[in-house]
Amino acid sequence: MKSLNSRRAICKYLLSVGFSSCVLLSGGLAQSQEMIPRTLLVDMARSQFSVLCQSEVFASCMGFTSQACLDLSESAISQCLLPLPEQISPNELDNSALESCPKGVFADAGYQEEKAGPCFDQAMEEG
């Protein structure tokens, strides 16, 4: 299991800039020249969202239920990661597009990006 500080950094980054770069950086793939399977990105994003969304403190602070958060994360994964090719070169990833895509999904649902950090901090203090 990841350390609390590592999970905190990953989840804050996941929420503040989008899950794609977080997934790449947390997996150590950013420096790799090997092809990245899309399924790896999807699985890692689901795992991180699952941990985050299952925090009742975080979800209620953000104004979501845990299930609504999970549903929204699946929508972001479907719209932002599933359209990618099955194998992706790290050099060919458009991180700016991948970062803005989940932000748009969450914003459309009423997610306020500036609340993510304080809500996550509150969840860590109470969790």
Side-chain angles (χ1 to χ4, degrees), residues 1-28 44-45 47-49 51-52 120:
M1 186 175 236
K2 295 179 189 278
S3 72
L4 180 61
N5 286 338
S6 175
R7 180 169 291 164
R8 180 174 189 252
I10 289 169
C11 290
K12 265 186 150 175
Y13 191 77
L14 191 150
L15 284 169
S16 67
V17 299
F19 56 75
S20 61
S21 292
C22 174
V23 169
L24 291 175
L25 294 173
S26 69
M44 291 176 77
S47 175
Q48 292 301 321
F49 273 124
V51 169
L52 190 61
F120 188 84

Side-chain angles (χ1 to χ4, degrees), residues 24-45:
L24 291 175
L25 294 173
S26 69
L29 296 172
Q31 292 101 18
S32 174
Q33 296 304 312
E34 295 181 27
M35 298 295 280
I36 302 167
R38 177 185 63 212
T39 56
L40 175 63
L41 298 177
V42 169
D43 290 346
M44 291 176 77

Side-chain angles (χ1 to χ4, degrees), residues 48-70:
Q48 292 301 321
F49 273 124
S50 176
V51 169
L52 190 61
C53 290
Q54 290 179 16
S55 166
E56 291 293 333
V57 173
F58 176 80
S60 65
C61 177
M62 289 299 296
F64 297 135
T65 64
S66 290
Q67 187 58 52
C69 181
L70 287 169

